[in-house]
Structures are given as C-alpha cells and as structure tokens.
Amino acid sequence: MENNTIKQSSQKAIKGLWNAFPMILGTVLLVSLISAIIPKSFYITIFSKNLFLDSLIGGLIGSISAGNPITSYIFGGEMLSQGVGLIAVTAFLVSWVTVGIIQLPAESAILGKKFAILRNITAFIFSIIVAIITVLILEVMI
Amino acid sequence: MKFKDKLKSLSGSWYFLGIIILTYILISIFSQEIYLKSLDFFTQIIYKIIPIFILVFVLMTLSNYFITPKFIMKHLRDKGIKKWFFIIIGGILSSGPIYMWYPLLADLKHRGLSYGLIACFLYNRAIKIPLLPLAIIYFSWQYIFILTIVMIFMSVIQGILINKIMEVKK
C-alpha cells in the first residue's frame, strides 16, 4: 500500500502526539515551576562584567531558561540597561531559544539521546560564537 | 499482566511526568505560594499551546498523508542547497514551543530526514518573524538583521557538523 488515507494519517498523528503527551505535560509543569522559583532579578545580578565569563554565564542562563522569546527580549533589554555587555546578552538571547536543557528529557526520548545531547552542546557553543560574530560585524558596520 | 510487568512496560516519559507531579504535591505541602504561582504559569502555558497542538496535529496528519518516503527521497535527500533552504524556511515558519515539534520530527526521521536537517530546523525555530518588531524595538534593526543572518548561517554549519558526527558514531 503506497498512500495512507486521511483517517489512517490522523490516527497516526494522534498516536504520535499521545506518545509525546507525558513528556510535553511534564515539561510544561517543570517550566512553570522554574518560572515560579527563579525571580527575574536573579538574571541581572549574577554578571561580573568580564567579557568571556559573561558570555558563558549568558549562554548558561539562556540554556536553562525556557519560555516565550518575548521574555528573553525583556530580560536582555534589562541586562543591557544594567551595563551587561552586548556579547553576553546576545549569547543569552540565542541560547534561550536554541538550547533546551529543560526539554532535554523530551528531546532525548523522542529524537534519541545522542542526537539530543549533541544538538544541545553544539547549540550552546554556537550561541557564544554567534554572539561574538554578530557583535563584531555590528561594530565594523556601525 | 502482573503489576511488576505493567510497571516495566511504562515508558520513561510517564515516570518523568510522575516525578514532576510528585514534586508538585510536595511543593503544595511545603509552599502554597510557589505551588499556586507554578499552577498559574502552567495554566497560562497550556492556554497558549492548545491552538499549537491543533496546528501540530493538522500538520502531522498532512505530513502522514503527503510526505511519503518517496517524497522525502525526492526533496530532502538531494545533494545541494535546496533541501537546506526548505528546512530553514520550515524552521523559521514553525511556531510554538520546541517540544511540540519533536513527534513530527521523529516521524520525519523515520522517513529519511537526516539528523543534521532536524538540527537545522530546530535552530531556525529560534528566528520568530512575528516577534521581530519587538526585538527591533529592544535591540535596533541592524543588530537583529545581522543576528538573524548569522543564526541562519550557523544553523547550516551545526547541521553539517551533526551529520558528520552522527555518521562517525554509527
């Protein structure tokens, strides 16, 4: 049989979503808990104004954070106004949306452990590289 | 089936959910404030993701219907930049939390999509066109423009890198 019918296709989709359901629900609960425990001020107070260390911290915080990117823009904007460097803020913004430590169990279970770990590690390293390249290009152009 | 066998047949993801629910129960005993605040966040997220769930369901059904292994072979296994272009556009246009897309991507993986292309798709999900005006307000259009171009470029590099490493690991 070459093609599925719409009914078969939708049944397959329901099965796929049901398999992912406990992970999705668990992740939403975990994200909610972390958002309730970690206050917004925490993100601003831990930067040291050392370029490399701040990039690393920015990348790490972004990696363990989760939620709508709008929140990361607001945090990022506040960080800049507090004197945190643009490279650190960029690393934070990029890792917020590309690295998912909280979602790692779900990603591992559904897409494979090796792939999930590899993707998140490279995304974390790339968040720092993207930050450096972006800010350097910006400085050259403006 | 005995209870022990039933427990063994439960996938790890149900254990994960069980542990999180247990954590909530403990928090509700020790700190009502955190518990209620977490539930408030939870409700907000759930309201947001329900429409996305429906969208993902529709897309999964359509992909099951139209995207056959033959289709994948034709469009995504080609050598060249075309497949990367398609996956970048797909990643940018996709919406909702990242974990909502895992089942669809796992399905596409079974149909022949490479790990590198999956990684590239997930990386490009970071570029949110509807949120660009807000980002520009916070960080200037020049900054957002350069950041977007650099991220698209790096998504391809990450994809190629992951393909190479996953090949070696095989």
Side-chain angles (χ1 to χ4, degrees):
Chain A
M1 198 166 69
E2 273 291 311
N3 293 317
N4 293 320
T5 64
I6 281 285
K7 194 184 171 187
Q8 285 171 325
S9 304
S10 59
Q11 280 172 344
K12 268 171 119 178
I14 289 169
K15 200 181 168 191
L17 284 173
W18 176 249
N19 287 339
F21 172 74
M23 268 299 167
I24 291 170
L25 190 63
T27 304
V28 174
L29 283 165
L30 188 59
V31 167
S32 308
L33 191 61
I34 288 169
S35 301
I37 292 171
I38 300 175
K40 284 183 184 177
S41 56
F42 167 82
Y43 293 96
I44 297 162
T45 53
I46 60 160
F47 286 92
S48 63
K49 295 190 179 173
N50 173 302
L51 194 74
F52 180 74
L53 200 65
D54 280 1
S55 312
L56 203 67
I57 295 168
L60 280 171
I61 295 171
S63 302
I64 58 161
S65 306
N68 197 304
I70 293 170
T71 320
S72 73
Y73 300 154
I74 296 163
F75 283 154
E78 281 182 49
M79 282 179 188
L80 275 180
S81 63
Q82 294 289 325
V84 176
L86 190 57
I87 290 180
V89 172
T90 309
F92 168 78
L93 292 174
V94 175
S95 64
W96 180 290
V97 281
T98 59
V99 184
I101 299 295
I102 295 168
Q103 295 96 330
L104 194 63
E107 190 174 345
S108 297
I110 302 168
L111 294 172
K113 197 176 172 185
K114 275 181 192 171
F115 168 76
I117 292 170
L118 187 63
R119 193 194 71 77
N120 280 283
I121 290 172
T122 50
F124 173 70
I125 297 166
F126 279 25
S127 70
I128 295 168
I129 299 170
V130 165
I132 293 167
I133 294 173
T134 302
V135 175
L136 284 179
I137 294 174
L138 195 71
E139 279 174 3
V140 169
M141 284 182 73
I142 298 170
Chain B
M1 197 188 266
K2 286 178 185 173
F3 181 70
K4 223 176 178 181
D5 296 329
K6 272 188 182 175
L7 270 181
K8 274 183 188 171
S9 70
L10 274 175
S11 72
S13 53
W14 287 101
Y15 283 116
F16 169 71
L17 179 60
I19 290 165
I20 299 292
I21 290 171
L22 195 68
T23 310
Y24 266 76
I25 293 167
L26 290 173
I27 286 171
S28 73
I29 297 164
F30 294 109
S31 173
Q32 276 285 316
E33 194 195 340
I34 292 174
Y35 171 72
L36 292 173
K37 213 173 165 186
S38 305
L39 279 188
D40 187 41
F41 276 116
F42 174 75
T43 316
Q44 284 174 35
I45 297 172
I46 288 294
Y47 275 127
K48 263 186 210 167
I49 67 171
I50 283 173
I52 299 157
F53 243 121
I54 296 164
L55 176 69
V56 169
F57 168 71
V58 172
L59 288 175
M60 282 179 82
T61 303
L62 290 176
S63 107
N64 286 333
Y65 189 73
F66 291 108
I67 304 175
T68 58
K70 202 176 167 187
F71 178 89
I72 294 285
M73 287 282 283
K74 195 178 169 191
H75 291 277
L76 296 172
R77 278 188 182 169
D78 293 337
K79 290 197 172 176
I81 57 163
K82 209 175 166 185
K83 61 177 177 181
W84 291 96
F85 176 77
F86 279 123
I87 216 82
I88 289 167
I89 297 295
I92 293 172
L93 294 178
S94 66
S95 61
I98 201 164
Y99 44 85
M100 298 292 296
W101 292 87
Y102 295 155
L104 178 68
L105 292 172
D107 196 35
L108 291 174
K109 177 74 196 74
H110 288 299
R111 293 158 193 252
L113 198 70
S114 73
Y115 280 115
L117 286 170
I118 293 174
C120 183
F121 177 91
L122 291 173
Y123 204 92
N124 278 291
R125 282 184 31 75
I127 300 159
K128 309 275 182 200
I129 290 173
L131 300 183
L132 285 183
L134 184 77
I136 288 167
I137 288 169
Y138 271 101
F139 303 101
S140 85
W141 71 265
Q142 295 99 326
Y143 170 81
I144 294 300
F145 176 75
I146 295 164
L147 180 64
T148 305
I149 300 296
V150 174
M151 284 182 75
I152 291 172
F153 176 74
M154 292 308 278
S155 74
V156 178
I157 303 289
Q158 190 198 29
I160 294 167
L161 191 69
I162 283 181
N163 267 346
K164 295 271 179 210
I165 298 171
M166 294 302 279
E167 271 173 31
V168 171
K169 280 186 174 178
K170 276 178 189 173

